[in-house]
């Protein structure tokens, strides 16, 4: 039996699956990990938690199926966007926790940049419709100003799935879809914008080089293979940002295809041959993991993460169930339509491009 191992590093945890060569899902599991929130807009995760979750998920997949290590023909990852993971020239992780996509600490760095660059011009070139300070390059600029020793010792600032790829292969690269969330990626020229990199004052060589999502980045190395219980030498493809890989998985990769995603955040996406940009409404545009395609999207930053907050704060007594969310669903079914007038504003991660203010937060009324 020939199989593919696929991992998705989501905000809430890693989703791992085994597929046979016909695309049939053989086995699936989900391992949760923690997000750490603190004053100053810090939303952080520990990259070691990602890899430990992947190790645990791999063991569960292999043990729950008839799949043997020799059956695995390839490995591919997607990962949540806008992350920066600093490694030194020996591949050593330089921090315990790294900012994830929703981290808002880099506001002043973005404001400084836009003193020299017109915001609309930047948006139309990059398609970056999230609040600007969420994008990777501004988080790197924050690191340079506030953690200079870490910045100086950084060989590459990697994305989430690119860091895992490095642990698997000892190769530090990214793909076009993940690079399009860097804040300095030219959507039409399909490369980093040197002008923007110079203005923000970051050395370009600290950004990973870009290849196609489908290219083999390298082979599974011995140490990683032993931890995963797999065989050395399995091809690992570069993979893509979660939005792009989910679009592909949903069959959204030809002109006009659309899909909706409900995860930790939620969005609606269309596949297009050209970027769709509009400065007033700021759809955020990613390069697709399918060559020469784009995925303009609009969305909200809290969806499943808001449900998790409700579970943790109101229904912690249900955590002993295998699926506490199913029990919450049962309780919700007992409530009349309209919830007796109670309304929950679920913007727990702040506003997105479709909100009037990124400072909007959650609340109950009625």
């Amino acid at each position: 039996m020939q199989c593919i191992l696929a991992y998705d590093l989501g905000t809430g945890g890693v989703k791992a699956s085994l597929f046979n060569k016909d695309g049939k899902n053989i086995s699936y599991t989900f391992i949760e990990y923690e997000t750490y929130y603190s004053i100053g807009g810090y939303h952080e995760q520990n990259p070691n938690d990602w890899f430990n979750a992947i190790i645990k998920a791999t063991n569960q997949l292999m043990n729950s199926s008839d799949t043997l290590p020799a059956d695995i023909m390839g490995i591919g990852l997607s990962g949540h966007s806008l992350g920066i993971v600093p490694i030194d020239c020996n591949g050593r992780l330089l921090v315990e926790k790294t900012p994830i996509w929703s981290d808002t600490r880099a506001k002043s760095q973005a404001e400084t940049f836009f003193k020299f660059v017109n915001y609309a011009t930047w948006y139309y070139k990059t398609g970056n419709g999230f609040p600007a300070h969420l994008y990777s390059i501004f988080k790197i600029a924050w690191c340079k100003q506030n953690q200079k020793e870490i910045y100086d010792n950084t060989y590459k600032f990697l994305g989430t799935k690119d860091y895992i790829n490095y642990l698997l292969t000892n190769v530090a690269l990214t793909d076009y879809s993940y690079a399009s969330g860097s804040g300095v990626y030219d959507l039409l020229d399909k490369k980093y914008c040197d002008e923007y990199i110079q203005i923000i004052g970051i050395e370009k060589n600290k950004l990973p080089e870009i290849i196609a999502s489908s290219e083999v980045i390298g082979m599974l190395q011995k140490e990683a293979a032993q931890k995963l219980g797999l065989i050395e030498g399995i091809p690992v493809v570069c993979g893509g940002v979660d939005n792009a890989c989910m679009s592909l998985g949903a069959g959204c990769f030809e002109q006009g295809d659309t899909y909706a995603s409900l995860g930790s955040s939620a969005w609606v996406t269309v596949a297009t041959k050209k970027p769709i940009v509009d400065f007033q409404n700021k759809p955020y545009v990613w390069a697709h993991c399918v060559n020469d395609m784009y995925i303009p999207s609009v969305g909200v930053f809290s969806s499943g993460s808001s449900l998790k907050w409700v579970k943790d704060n109101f229904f912690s007594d249900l955590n002993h169930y295998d699926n506490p969310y199913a029990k919450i669903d049962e309780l919700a079914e007992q409530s009349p339509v309209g919830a007796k007038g109670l309304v929950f504003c679920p913007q727990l991660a702040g506003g997105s491009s479709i909100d009037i203010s990124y400072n909007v937060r959650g609340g109950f009324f009625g």
Side-chain angles (χ1 to χ4, degrees):
M1 184 166 60
Q2 296 180 337
C3 298
I4 297 294
L5 261 175
Y7 305 98
D8 172 48
L9 293 172
T11 307
V14 63
K15 296 174 280 290
S17 293
L18 272 173
F19 294 92
N20 66 17
K21 63 181 181 180
D22 297 320
K24 181 181 178 181
N25 183 232
I26 299 169
S27 185
Y28 164 86
T29 191
F30 174 77
I31 304 297
E32 195 171 23
Y33 40 69
E34 193 69 38
T35 300
Y36 303 92
Y37 302 95
S38 57
I39 294 173
Y42 289 30
H43 297 185
E44 299 176 304
Q45 291 182 350
N46 185 336
N48 290 323
D49 290 345
W50 307 335
F51 193 51
N52 289 334
I54 282 177
I55 293 171
K56 185 176 180 180
T58 305
N59 290 331
Q60 289 187 4
L61 289 177
M62 301 299 286
N63 291 334
S64 64
S65 67
D66 294 328
T67 309
L68 301 174
D71 297 330
I72 306 300
M73 298 291 104
I75 297 172
L77 283 96
S78 69
H80 54 80
S81 59
L82 316 186
I84 60 163
V85 182
I87 62 170
D88 65 15
C89 59
N90 296 313
R92 183 172 63 93
L93 182 65
L94 295 178
V95 294
E96 180 181 349
K97 298 174 185 174
T98 61
I100 62 170
W101 62 274
S102 56
D103 189 285
T104 62
R105 72 183 69 183
K107 292 178 183 176
S108 66
Q109 287 72 31
E111 290 170 357
T112 299
F113 176 77
F114 291 116
K115 292 178 181 178
F116 303 95
V117 176
N118 178 270
Y119 195 112
T121 301
W122 172 80
Y123 168 73
Y124 282 116
K125 183 182 287 287
T126 65
N128 292 160
F130 287 171
H133 54 270
L134 299 181
Y135 286 95
S136 305
I137 198 70
F138 302 113
K139 293 169 181 169
I140 295 174
W142 181 94
C143 178
K144 183 178 181 180
Q145 292 182 18
N146 295 275
Q147 299 174 326
K148 193 171 187 309
E149 184 176 355
I150 291 172
Y151 175 85
D152 290 341
N153 288 325
T154 296
Y155 164 59
K156 298 292 182 185
F157 286 97
L158 297 176
T160 54
K161 58 92 181 176
D162 300 318
Y163 175 66
I164 298 300
N165 278 343
Y166 181 83
L167 295 182
L168 299 179
T169 66
N170 292 335
V171 178
L173 294 172
T174 194
D175 75 291
Y176 293 103
S177 68
Y178 208 99
S180 66
S182 65
V184 289
Y185 179 83
D186 188 319
L187 283 172
L188 294 179
D189 285 347
K190 301 178 182 178
K191 63 182 182 180
Y192 295 124
C193 176
D194 290 338
E195 176 189 0
Y196 290 167
I197 294 173
Q198 291 170 5
I199 290 172
I200 205 165
I202 301 299
E203 288 108 320
K204 184 179 179 180
N205 61 8
K206 291 185 182 291
L207 302 178
E209 294 183 17
I210 310 170
I211 64 173
S213 297
S214 56
E215 285 193 45
V216 173
I217 193 173
M219 302 300 174
L220 184 64
Q221 298 297 295
K222 181 177 180 180
E223 183 178 354
Q226 290 175 342
K227 291 179 179 179
L228 294 170
L230 300 176
I231 294 175
E232 182 181 358
I234 299 171
V236 179
V237 297
C238 193
V241 75
D242 54 2
N243 307 58
C245 291
M246 280 188 272
S247 294
L248 178 60
C252 180
F253 58 91
E254 295 181 339
Q255 177 68 32
D257 290 343
T258 61
Y259 89 105
S261 173
L262 294 173
S264 296
S265 56
W267 59 86
V268 177
T269 292
V270 60
T272 61
K273 294 181 179 179
K274 294 182 179 180
I276 296 177
V277 287
D278 173 63
F279 187 63
Q280 180 175 350
N281 296 299
K282 297 186 184 64
Y284 45 94
V285 185
W286 304 93
H288 207 319
C289 57
V290 176
N291 290 340
D292 301 322
M293 294 296 291
Y294 301 89
I295 46 169
S297 310
V298 292
V300 294
F301 291 162
S302 300
S303 178
S305 56
S306 293
L307 183 58
K308 182 179 186 299
W309 182 88
V310 168
K311 174 182 73 73
D312 292 343
N313 286 277
F314 298 152
F315 299 102
S316 60
D317 58 313
L318 302 179
N319 282 332
H320 66 280
Y321 287 99
D322 290 337
N323 187 352
Y325 296 106
K327 302 299 295 185
I328 294 173
D329 288 344
E330 292 177 10
L331 292 171
E333 289 173 352
Q334 300 171 23
S335 178
V337 173
K340 302 178 183 178
L342 181 65
V343 176
F344 174 43
C345 174
Q347 304 291 73
L348 300 188
S352 69
S353 56
I354 63 175
D355 300 301
I356 294 175
S357 171
Y358 59 73
N359 292 316
V360 64
R361 287 296 186 272
F364 287 93
F365 57 95

